[in-house]
Amino acid sequence: MLKSKFQTTELIEVLTKGIGVYETLRTYNDKPFAVKEHYNRLCKSLSYLKIDPPSFKEFENLVYENLSERIRIVYAYSNKLVSYVFRETAEDMNAGYIKIDFTNVRRADPWSIPPDLKSLGRPDIYLARLTKGDNYDVLMLGNKGQVCEGTFSNVFIIKQRKIITPSLESGILDGITRMYVMIFLKEKGYTIEERFVEPYELFECDEVFLTHTSRGIVPVNQIGDIQTRSYELSKKLSEEFEGYIKCLL
């Protein structure tokens, strides 16, 4: 659902002549999660474009005026900054059997496009999504062949109860759910390691899971044609993380 004082023709003009950045927020029991963190990341995206951000109060008002299971706020710029809000129903949290794969589309070099510029129509992400097929998501590699992230998710692996995820230096978006998952795991006593991850490690580890706004922690059952060894711990963590976030609100 589009909510804006501007006409659809103006939206088309802005998005064809200008540029747009966005944030997607999720609500738990009608309470939006991590509003400040999403605002700060939006400001970072706009700073790359040398555009002054809206005030936090304006951003917050847009969120609370459009509460839904999932809220996508778009700020588009073409001579002026215009906001649009899309209210969406989140998908069923029971993700079912999750199959992912690697895509042959590389993540854009960080010197070319900053990884934390969350903009509409990024060509590397768009082209990668075209290769998704029947996969839940596809993982992109970086300029050195390192694992980066999915087209809408961050990736974690579990090896002997150590939990490993690509570092920000790998060229990834600083996922807000990723951040809270790491806080949650550290509070539960797990060792977290952020570093460059090689593709082969996903096939040699014990478990793989994804993180993203809509579903929190998503256990992975299959990578390409190969089933993962297990997903039991990931499934348990997924259920516990849902309760953890609700307690924070």
Side-chain angles (χ1 to χ4, degrees):
M1 178 179 180
L2 177 66
K3 180 179 177 61
S4 173
K5 64 180 180 180
F6 298 95
Q7 299 297 317
T8 304
T9 52
E10 285 189 85
L11 173 60
I12 295 172
E13 180 181 355
V14 169
L15 295 184
T16 53
K17 296 182 180 178
I19 189 167
V21 300
Y22 71 98
E23 286 292 329
T24 302
L25 294 83
R26 185 177 158 202
T27 61
Y28 294 79
N29 298 330
D30 295 325
K31 295 179 181 179
F33 179 63
V35 178
K36 187 67 175 180
E37 289 87 343
H38 281 284
Y39 172 75
N40 289 339
R41 193 168 64 182
L42 174 80
C43 291
K44 185 69 177 293
S45 293
L46 289 172
S47 73
Y48 285 120
L49 307 175
K50 302 188 184 306
I51 297 171
D52 292 332
S55 68
F56 174 68
K57 190 63 178 177
E58 177 188 354
F59 181 81
E60 187 179 42
N61 286 343
L62 283 175
V63 172
Y64 280 94
E65 288 170 3
N66 297 278
L67 284 179
S68 181
E69 290 179 83
R70 189 167 60 176
I71 311 158
R72 178 163 297 186
I73 297 181
V74 177
Y75 279 89
Y77 184 84
S78 179
N79 300 319
K80 61 181 177 180
L81 193 62
V82 183
S83 63
Y84 301 89
V85 180
F86 299 85
R87 294 187 292 188
E88 305 170 3
T89 300
E91 301 166 353
D92 183 2
M93 289 300 296
N94 181 13
Y97 190 89
I98 297 298
K99 176 178 173 290
I100 64 172
D101 206 347
F102 289 95
T103 176
N104 59 2
V105 178
R106 291 289 180 105
R107 190 75 157 86
D109 190 294
W111 289 102
S112 175
I113 304 177
D116 51 355
L117 171 56
K118 195 172 173 67
S119 65
L120 297 174
R122 279 189 60 132
D124 52 346
I125 293 176
Y126 179 78
L127 292 173
R129 284 177 179 168
L130 293 180
T131 71
K132 195 164 70 123
D134 63 349
N135 294 294
Y136 182 81
D137 199 5
V138 286
L139 302 181
M140 305 173 72
L141 303 182
N143 55 4
K144 294 181 175 63
Q146 77 276 17
V147 177
C148 287
E149 58 195 344
T151 65
F152 60 85
S153 63
N154 290 109
V155 60
F156 289 73
I157 64 176
I158 303 174
K159 190 168 186 178
Q160 298 176 344
R161 292 187 69 83
K162 177 188 289 185
I163 300 180
I164 304 163
T165 188
S167 60
L168 296 182
E169 291 74 21
S170 301
I172 66 169
L173 178 70
D174 52 343
I176 291 169
T177 301
R178 170 186 180 273
M179 177 186 70
Y180 274 98
V181 164
M182 288 195 294
I183 294 171
F184 160 72
L185 292 172
K186 287 176 182 177
E187 289 182 5
K188 290 187 68 65
Y190 289 95
T191 299
I192 309 297
E193 187 175 330
E194 296 179 76
R195 60 169 173 79
F196 271 42
V197 175
E198 299 296 332
Y200 75 85
E201 294 186 72
L202 275 71
F203 299 97
E204 293 186 352
C205 66
D206 300 319
E207 298 189 28
V208 179
F209 64 84
L210 307 176
T211 63
H212 65 93
T213 297
S214 295
R215 286 180 171 168
I217 294 175
V218 182
V220 171
N221 304 96
Q222 184 175 333
I223 306 171
D225 297 327
I226 301 175
Q227 288 189 330
T228 55
R229 295 179 181 179
S230 174
Y231 60 90
E232 291 306 315
L233 178 55
S234 300
K235 183 179 179 181
K236 178 175 179 289
L237 293 173
S238 177
E239 294 167 353
E240 292 176 349
F241 181 69
E242 187 82 2
Y244 172 79
I245 293 300
K246 289 177 180 177
C247 288
L248 294 178
L249 295 173

